[in-house]
Amino acid sequence: MTSLEKPNGGNRSAAGAAAETAHISRPADVADSPERVGSGAGERVARFLQRQGAPILLALVVLVASFAFPGFATFDNVASILFQASGLGIIAVGMTLVIISGGIDLSVGSVYALGGVLAAWASRYGVLPAFAVPLAVCGLIGLVQGTFIGRFGMPPFIVTLAGLLGARGLALALTDEGKTVYKVGWNDTFAQLGHGKVFGIYLPVYFMVAVFVVGWIYLQRTKSGQALFAVGGSESASTLMGLPVARIKITSYLICGLLAGLAGALNAAYTISGVPTQGVGWELDAIASVVIGGTLLVGGAGSLIGTLAGVLLLKVILNVINQIGTLNTSVQMVVSGAFLAVVVVVQALLTRAQNLRDG
């Protein structure tokens, strides 16, 4: 059994392991005191709220909206919500991995746009190049960013901000500042991947589900996924444990770039074009979805189930605003910002309370 595995199968970071060791070394009268027992129950409640708050809130919003708006719970409306969430959901999976590792990626919106442009351009050569070209280029961008961050210790904010500008500039350069728009044929197999439906659900939704399933398996059932939690929890402790910290960080940014390129390619298949102005602000939406889903911005804790709930929650709120009909869609940005602010404050309070109990 490795140092990253627990008998009960749960996740823990290196910092968490150190905390457990410290707890064991305490005198018996302190460890077994009523205050410690009470704080353990409180800690479990805090962790439950942190991890399951977004799914619970999503369920409540859906329940209320279903009773308040007759058109909300229809099959067509639910299918529409899922489709609108598909692109952001795919990107949010990569963002979750990066944030769990203790980083951030501001380039995903621009990489998403670049992936769409490259996919539309390459679709003339067939469906395989339409996916291979954007995945290769966007994956390379993620790899380069991860190398600068993981190998050379540069700040993620600065590196990915440069990536944001560079990827957007490359997309604009390939389209002559947007004057040239690459088109995808309506009857092409690639276009059908964006417009095709199975059981009334657009195919990009199935791509999103597959990405979440693979991502969940990666995080929960592989040593590399478990190592992300350790690195995010304490990079110095992870180094002492012998973990390849640089490689783990590089991998997370590589995956993030690949998924942003995949989402861009699917968007090009749906819109049958590659537009360089797509994805503006999507990096903020992805970060908001991940944080609302319970992933800590400081790293070391998070889940893809929470991220999926966060993505759907943002899209459900937008749909509810559209159901009302009298509110401008800009209200959705205000509501999303308010949710994000509340979640960050709650996370900070929960983390502080846990630290005080551990102390």
Side-chain angles (χ1 to χ4, degrees):
M1 183 177 297
T2 68
S3 59
L4 296 175
E5 296 174 343
K6 295 173 64 177
N8 61 6
N11 295 330
R12 66 173 180 175
S13 65
E20 291 181 6
T21 303
H23 174 72
I24 293 173
S25 63
R26 289 190 180 98
D29 58 338
V30 175
D32 298 333
S33 64
E35 291 80 8
R36 295 297 303 174
V37 175
S39 66
E43 185 175 351
R44 287 193 295 271
V45 172
R47 288 179 178 176
F48 176 80
L49 291 176
Q50 179 184 328
R51 296 176 181 177
Q52 306 300 330
I56 293 174
L57 183 58
L58 174 64
L60 291 175
V61 172
V62 169
L63 182 63
V64 172
S66 299
F67 282 103
F69 307 104
F72 178 82
T74 62
F75 178 83
D76 289 341
N77 189 58
V78 172
S80 176
I81 293 174
L82 292 175
F83 174 69
Q84 293 170 17
S86 59
L88 180 60
I90 292 173
I91 294 174
V93 171
M95 186 67 76
T96 302
L97 302 185
V98 168
I99 294 180
I100 286 176
S101 72
I104 199 76
D105 192 344
L106 301 179
S107 69
V108 291
S110 297
V111 174
Y112 168 80
L114 177 61
V117 171
L118 292 172
W121 172 81
S123 65
R124 68 186 72 180
Y125 303 106
V127 63
L128 183 59
F131 281 104
V133 172
L135 288 178
V137 175
C138 296
L140 179 61
I141 292 174
L143 178 63
V144 171
Q145 293 183 149
T147 300
F148 277 112
I149 295 167
R151 189 70 64 185
F152 302 114
M154 296 184 65
F157 181 89
I158 300 300
V159 173
T160 59
L161 179 60
L164 179 154
L165 299 174
R168 184 73 64 180
L170 182 56
L172 290 170
L174 291 173
T175 58
D176 191 21
E177 302 293 332
K179 297 176 183 177
T180 301
V181 178
Y182 298 106
K183 296 290 186 179
V184 179
W186 272 102
N187 297 322
D188 291 354
T189 303
F190 177 62
Q192 296 307 308
L193 291 175
H195 290 89
K197 292 183 178 182
V198 175
F199 302 116
I201 305 293
Y202 281 104
L203 288 177
V205 176
Y206 295 96
F207 277 89
M208 178 186 71
V209 172
V211 167
F212 268 98
V213 170
V214 173
W216 184 88
I217 293 173
Y218 174 75
L219 275 181
Q220 303 295 332
R221 295 292 184 263
T222 68
K223 292 181 179 179
S224 297
Q226 294 286 289
L228 279 175
F229 293 95
V231 172
S234 176
E235 186 174 331
S236 59
S238 299
T239 302
L240 293 175
M241 292 167 61
L243 294 177
V245 174
R247 188 177 68 190
I248 291 168
K249 287 188 174 184
I250 291 171
T251 301
S252 66
Y253 284 94
L254 170 61
I255 294 174
C256 194
L258 288 171
L259 293 180
L262 173 62
L266 291 172
N267 180 68
Y270 176 74
T271 61
I272 63 168
S273 64
V275 181
T277 56
Q278 292 281 345
V280 175
W282 273 44
E283 60 278 353
L284 303 179
D285 290 339
I287 294 171
S289 301
V290 173
V291 175
I292 289 173
T295 299
L296 297 180
L297 275 174
V298 295
S303 73
L304 286 177
I305 294 177
T307 294
L308 178 59
V311 171
L312 293 176
L313 186 58
L314 292 180
K315 296 304 178 180
V316 166
I317 290 171
L318 176 60
N319 188 268
V320 168
I321 292 173
N322 292 334
Q323 294 281 336
I324 296 174
T326 57
L327 298 177
N328 191 289
T329 54
S330 61
V331 175
Q332 190 264 346
M333 299 180 64
V334 177
V335 175
S336 300
F339 263 117
L340 181 60
V342 171
V343 169
V344 170
V345 170
V346 171
Q347 284 188 354
L349 293 175
L350 292 176
T351 302
R352 181 180 180 184
Q354 291 180 29
N355 291 336
L356 290 175
R357 281 192 291 268
D358 292 337

